[in-house]
Amino acid sequence: MKELLEQAIELGKEEIPLGEVASYIPELANADVKKIGIAIQDMQGNMETCGDVDNEFTMQSIVKVAIYALALEDLGLRRVLEKVGVKPSADAFNSIVKLEDDSNHRPLNPFINAGAIMCTAILKGSIDKRRHRVIELLQKLFNRDNVQIDIDTYLSEKATGDRNRALAYMMKGTGIMDSDIDVEKVLDLYFQLCSVKVTVKDLANMAAVLANDGVSPITGEQILSLKVNRVVLTVMFTCGLYDYSGEFAVRVALPAKSGVGGGILAASKGKYGIAVANPALDIHGNSIAGVRMLEYISDKLDLETF
Ligand code: GLU
């Protein structure tokens, strides 16, 4: 396995010059483009790693998986579907052009910004309680208890988050977001959660839970219910890589979620949780080396879903 990961890293490195570090959030532009890592965990909890495995980066969109899962646990699929669709998007992750053009203007899916902001808005409890609950969930998913927010990234997101602000107010304007919701507080929490610091090891732990029907391979705890886990994996498969999800589905064929911090996690049901990271992004906002590494690993280990 170690050799396979080393080969994947070599392939990934070839892709780095073709990508660019995210710059629309100024703090993300400081990422070291040479940092590249992989971690893979099996269903017994054994982990193999390669590259810069202790390098920290922010979760960004990957946290949308945890926010969506918690919204589903809180409200159930039927009620969440009333507020957020599951339609793959041909537009960019921060697209402002359309909310779903059905009668109630739902955001297209929970993994584009509008949908994730909506999920943050419908979680149960006060804003503080929600932050606490999402962080608590992440701690279980990562199997460690000191999960932290990167304050500089959070402040940078907040200072430059006007597109996200516009999305949230548009949803309030159309009425899909309830009129009594405090948009600024919801956005503040969303920016904080996008700024949670992780390593590929954390994300491999999280992916392994998703691959193992919501159960931690290490502690045996059922962290996500079977039903929620199934829905989350399905939406990851169809919407996890923004408007690149279709091509990713044929190239890698695993449910996955990427973030503009350069991480991608992927779950191979009953087999492995995999995480890759490098901050050079393709035009869709996915780690360009990360996609290549996952394609290689999925092919070599014969993990393709279909
Ligand atoms: N915090 C980022 C934003 O809202 C998340 C984007 C992403 O990773 O797709 O723009």
Side-chain angles (χ1 to χ4, degrees):
M1 181 67 89
K2 189 81 181 174
E3 214 168 287
L4 180 88
L5 300 191
E6 281 166 4
Q7 283 159 356
I9 293 252
E10 288 313 309
L11 286 174
K13 280 183 183 166
E14 289 174 14
E15 301 288 321
I16 295 175
L18 306 175
E20 266 180 54
V21 172
S23 56
Y24 72 100
I25 298 170
E27 194 59 28
L28 294 182
N30 299 330
D32 181 351
V33 79
K34 291 196 287 300
K35 297 278 186 208
I36 184 165
I38 311 183
I40 181 164
Q41 187 177 110
D42 66 19
M43 299 298 94
Q44 284 70 50
N46 306 307
M47 188 180 285
E48 189 64 77
T49 61
C50 193
D52 299 299
V53 288
D54 295 312
N55 181 48
E56 287 188 323
F57 51 94
T58 53
M59 280 187 96
Q60 297 300 330
S61 257
I62 302 171
V63 81
K64 294 170 182 172
V65 173
I67 300 172
Y68 186 50
L70 204 57
L72 290 167
E73 297 283 8
D74 275 1
L75 303 170
L77 178 60
R78 186 182 291 262
R79 283 183 58 206
V80 173
L81 275 177
E82 286 169 10
K83 293 290 181 187
V84 185
V86 285
K87 204 185 253 185
S89 167
D91 302 313
F93 63 94
N94 57 0
S95 173
I96 206 127
V97 290
K98 58 176 179 281
L99 294 173
E100 191 163 29
D101 37 1
D102 63 11
S103 53
N104 63 359
H105 307 292
R106 291 178 297 174
L108 293 175
N109 70 63
F111 296 156
I112 57 169
N113 291 2
I117 293 166
M118 177 60 92
C119 287
T120 309
I122 60 177
L123 291 176
K124 283 191 177 154
S126 66
I127 289 289
D128 282 346
K129 182 95 189 151
R130 291 176 209 190
R131 179 187 311 99
H132 181 76
R133 292 178 62 228
V134 177
I135 298 285
E136 200 173 56
L137 173 59
L138 292 174
Q139 296 190 149
K140 287 185 183 178
L141 292 169
F142 302 162
N143 194 38
R144 68 177 171 96
D145 59 11
N146 54 347
V147 167
Q148 279 171 359
I149 290 163
D150 185 83
I151 300 296
D152 291 339
T153 306
Y154 153 61
L155 292 175
S156 189
E157 294 222 25
K158 193 174 162 104
T160 57
D162 287 333
R163 272 185 99 88
N164 288 322
R165 220 160 264 124
L167 284 169
Y169 280 105
M170 188 163 73
M171 289 192 286
K172 197 164 175 183
T174 63
I176 184 72
M177 188 182 281
D178 290 348
S179 58
D180 58 349
I181 285 175
D182 186 332
V183 171
E184 292 300 332
K185 280 192 176 163
V186 167
L187 284 166
D188 194 62
L189 177 55
Y190 169 74
F191 294 138
Q192 289 183 31
L193 295 175
C194 286
S195 306
V196 163
K197 285 190 279 195
V198 288
T199 66
V200 276
K201 291 191 278 189
D202 292 327
L203 295 182
N205 265 297
M206 176 169 170
V209 174
L210 294 166
N212 195 34
D213 288 337
V215 176
S216 165
I218 295 171
T219 65
E221 183 185 356
Q222 183 91 45
I223 298 174
L224 299 173
S225 69
L226 206 53
K227 167 97 181 171
V228 164
N229 198 73
R230 183 187 69 74
V231 172
V232 167
L233 285 176
T234 307
V235 183
M236 282 167 62
F237 199 86
T238 52
C239 308
L241 275 88
Y242 316 113
D243 45 332
Y244 187 72
S245 299
E247 189 164 333
F248 186 86
V250 293
R251 284 181 56 185
V252 180
L254 290 173
K257 183 74 201 86
S258 61
V260 296
I264 310 179
L265 61 72
S268 169
K269 193 173 155 55
K271 293 183 182 158
Y272 297 104
I274 312 165
V276 291
N278 174 262
L281 307 179
D282 63 18
I283 51 165
H284 309 280
N286 304 307
S287 169
I288 195 160
V291 171
R292 184 74 187 91
M293 293 192 284
L294 285 173
E295 185 179 29
Y296 182 75
I297 293 168
S298 176
D299 179 42
K300 289 294 168 201
L301 294 179
D302 207 10
L303 302 180
E304 290 101 338
T305 303
F306 302 109

